[in-house]
Amino acid sequence: MSNSSTPRPLAVLVGVQLPGVSDTEHAADLAELGRLVHTLGYKVVATVSQRRDKLAPGTVLGSGKLAELAQLTGGRGTVPSGAQGRKSKARERWEAEAEEADEAEEQQAAAEADEDVAEEDEVPEEELSAEASEEPLTERPTVVVVDHELSPSQLSNLERATGAQVFDRTGVIVDIFHRHARSREAKMQVEIARLNYLAPRMRESTGSSERQQGRGSGDSAVELDRRKIRDRLAELREGLAAIQQDQDHRRYARRDQLRVALVGYTNAGKSSLMRALTGSEVLVADQLFATLDTTVRALQPETRPRVLISDTVGFIQKLPHDLVASFRSTLDEALEASLLLYVVDGSDPTWEAQLEVTRSVLREIGAQSVPSRLLFNKADRLTPEAREALLQQHPEALVLSAHAPDDVAALRQTIIEFFERSMVEAELVIPYSRQARIGEVYEHARVLSEAYDETGRRLKVRALPAAMARLTRAFET
C-alpha cells in the first residue's frame, strides 16, 4: 500500500452499462470499483464508460471508446495484428464480423443517446481527468481497471491497446483479500482463490513461458508452472482441511451457547458494532474488506448464559465465486448461528442492492432460514426524513449508530430478549457429590433462585430447551 511519502499510481476505471442496468446502478458500481481501487493503493483520475448490448468479445469496449481510453494512457488504441499468433480463416472472419457489429452498435448508441449522454461520451481527456481529480494530471495513468471479469485474451488485448497494466474487478478483489489476510486460515483461503484466478491467465505469458525446462523435457515453462500451481493447491486444501477440522471442533464445543453473527456488505460497520457490543479491540477501518477473519467474542456486559457475537467477512457485488467457496468455513459461523444481524449502511443510496447481495450469498450457503434482524447502521449520517423513510419501508428494523451508546444498549437488549423468548424454566437438583460441576449450569443457563435441602442444591433456572435437556440428563440421580 502506498503511504503519504509515495505518490499513488494513477488509474482509469472502465465500465460497460449493459441492458437492464440503470444509470444509478451503473454509477454505484463504478463508485464502488473506485473504492476498491483506492483500497488497493491507486488514485482514480478518470473514468471511461460505454453503453452496449454486450461486452465486445476482444477488447470489452468498442473501437471508438478503446481509442479514447488509449488517449488517456498513451497507448496505440488498437491490438497489434498477429499479436495473438496465427488465426484460422473462420476466426478472422468471425472477428471481422464482430468488429463490424461493434461499429454498428456504437453508431446506433450515438444516434439514440440524448444530448447529455452524447456530450458525456465525447468528453476529451482534460475534462475526464478534471471530473475524477481536482488536480491536473502531470503524468499518464499506468493502470486500467475494468468493472467486469475479463477473459485472458481480453486482458491481454487491452494491455496491448492501452500500454497500461490492466486489472479486472475479480483481480482487484482477490488482491485486496491477499493483502488483508491475517490468520493462517485466511491466507490459505485467499491463496487458493488467487491461484485459481491466475492459472488460466498464464497462457498469455510471452517470451520465457515457451522455453523448455531442460533437455528432453516435453513441457513448456507455463505448463510446468501450472503443474506447480496444481501441486500447491492440493497442499493448501490439505492444510486448510486440517485447520477447518479444528474449527469444527471449536464450533461443536460452542453448540450449547447462544450465538449471534453479524453479516452484511463490506464497510457497512460490522466491526464497529462488534467492538461496541463486546468491547473487543477488533480492527475498524474505513475501507473495503478490512476484516477477513472471523472474530468471536462474548456480549458485554456478560450475560448468563453467555451470548457470543461473531464478525464475518463482508460481501460485495460480483463477489468472485472462488472466494465464496474458499471462505465457506468462515461463513459457516453464519450458518450455525442462532441469530443473524443483517448490518446495512442506511446512509448508502444503494443499500437495497447491498442487502440483496448479502441475502443472495447467505442463500447460497443455506443460511436463509436462520432467524434474523435487520439493522440500519450509520444513523448519525441520516436526516430525520431518511430515518423515517427506512422505518416506513422496514418497520421491524432497528436504525442505529455503532457510535451511539444508547443505540448499542438497545441492540444488546434486543439480542437478550430474542433468546429469552425461546427459553424454558425448570428446577435442577445438584447432589452434594456433584457440586464440582455447578459451573456447567452457570455456563449454559440463567440461575433464578437457589435453595438447599438434604438432597443437594436446588436451582430454578432458565435456558434454551436443548441446553435444559442436557443439564437435566447430566444431573439425573
Side-chain angles (χ1 to χ4, degrees), residues 364-392:
E364 186 174 336
I365 66 170
Q368 71 275 11
S369 59
V370 179
S372 63
R373 287 296 303 269
L374 180 60
L375 309 181
F376 287 109
N377 193 24
K378 305 187 182 182
D380 49 317
R381 303 181 183 180
L382 296 175
T383 64
E385 295 77 15
R387 178 192 289 258
E388 183 61 29
L390 290 175
L391 288 175
Q392 285 184 357

Side-chain angles (χ1 to χ4, degrees), residues 98 107 118 189 210 213 248 323 364 367 386 391 398:
Q107 293 174 0
Q189 289 170 324
E210 297 305 322
Q213 302 298 301
D248 289 342
L323 284 176
E364 186 174 336
L391 288 175
L398 293 178

Side-chain angles (χ1 to χ4, degrees), residues 182-189 239-240 243 293:
R182 294 292 179 266
S183 71
R184 181 165 173 259
E185 180 193 15
K187 289 178 180 179
M188 294 173 74
Q189 289 170 324
L240 195 57
I243 293 176
D293 300 296

Side-chain angles (χ1 to χ4, degrees), residues 259-334:
R259 297 159 64 183
V260 178
L262 302 174
V263 296
Y265 212 74
T266 182
N267 209 32
K270 298 185 298 299
S271 295
S272 295
L273 272 178
M274 178 75 171
R275 174 178 287 195
L277 287 169
T278 66
S280 59
E281 293 300 317
V282 297
L283 174 65
V284 175
D286 186 18
Q287 57 181 222
L288 304 186
F289 300 115
T291 302
L292 295 183
D293 300 296
T294 297
T295 305
V296 181
R297 298 288 186 272
L299 180 67
Q300 297 293 335
E302 197 165 294
T303 61
R304 292 298 182 194
R306 288 199 311 169
V307 176
L308 298 181
I309 311 292
S310 60
D311 186 14
T312 61
V313 62
F315 307 132
I316 197 169
Q317 292 270 18
K318 309 172 189 174
L319 184 66
H321 185 269
D322 280 337
L323 284 176
V324 176
S326 294
F327 279 81
R328 181 63 182 262
S329 65
T330 305
L331 296 176
D332 280 347
E333 289 288 343

Side-chain angles (χ1 to χ4, degrees), residues 20 23 60 99 135 159 184 204 210 212 242 258 286 300 321 351 375 383 411 447 472:
D23 292 347
V60 179
E99 183 64 26
E135 302 175 2
E159 287 188 338
R184 181 165 173 259
E204 294 300 323
E210 297 305 322
Q212 300 296 313
L258 314 183
D286 186 18
Q300 297 293 335
H321 185 269
W351 66 262
L375 309 181
T383 64
L411 175 58
V447 177
T472 301

Side-chain angles (χ1 to χ4, degrees), residues 14 35 66 80 95 99 104 111 162 183 185 260-261 308 359 364 366 374 410 416-417 426 433 441 448 451 465 471:
V14 173
R35 292 196 297 273
L66 183 62
E95 290 187 352
E99 183 64 26
T162 62
S183 71
E185 180 193 15
V260 178
L308 298 181
R359 287 174 169 162
E364 186 174 336
L374 180 60
I416 294 173
E417 289 175 356
S433 60
V441 179
L448 304 178
L471 288 172

